[in-house]
């Protein structure tokens, strides 16, 4: 199974974790060290299009990645952000 971020095909080595419905990758233009993207495997442009299972799976994987980030970067806090739509800063049509 190949991974896609909107219209962009991703090499498998960019994927650092995955679950049945979602995956995580390091942001190629990170704002901070450890900046990750967690998204559904299915290409969904907006949060409102996610199924309840996808939404839960994304947040579960985000939680797991936050634990890893805190350990690897000695972080004491984590920021979770969603850019949902162009006016919110979303640049690729994929949650």
């Amino acid at each position: 199974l190949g991974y896609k971020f909107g219209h962009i095909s991703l090499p498998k080595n960019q994927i650092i974790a995955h679950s049945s419905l979602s995956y995580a990758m390091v942001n190629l233009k990170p704002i901070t060290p450890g900046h990750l993207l967690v998204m559904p495997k299915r290409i969904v442009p907006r949060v409102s299009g996610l199924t309840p299972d996808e939404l839960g799976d994304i947040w579960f994987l985000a939680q797991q990645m936050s634990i890893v980030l805190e350990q690897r970067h000695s972080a004491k806090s984590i920021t979770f952000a969603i850019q949902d739509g162009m006016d919110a800063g979303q640049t690729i049509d994929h949650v």
Side-chain angles (χ1 to χ4, degrees), residues 1 10 14-15 18 20-21 24-25 30 33 39 42 44-46 48 51-52 65 83 88 90 94:
L1 170 69
L10 301 172
Q14 279 189 255
I15 309 306
H18 65 91
S20 61
L21 299 174
M25 64 177 274
M39 61 201 95
R42 183 172 69 93
V44 180
R46 301 286 308 277
S48 61
T51 67
M65 293 294 91
Q83 293 176 317
Q90 184 180 13
H94 193 158

Side-chain angles (χ1 to χ4, degrees), residues 24-67:
M25 64 177 274
V26 175
N27 192 321
L28 297 179
K29 297 179 183 178
I31 295 171
T32 60
H35 183 173
L36 302 179
L37 299 176
V38 180
M39 61 201 95
K41 289 180 178 177
R42 183 172 69 93
I43 297 172
V44 180
R46 301 286 308 277
V47 170
S48 61
L50 293 169
T51 67
D53 287 340
E54 287 170 326
L55 188 60
D57 193 74
I58 288 169
W59 280 108
F60 179 75
L61 185 56
Q63 177 192 45
Q64 298 305 302
M65 293 294 91
S66 74
I67 294 166

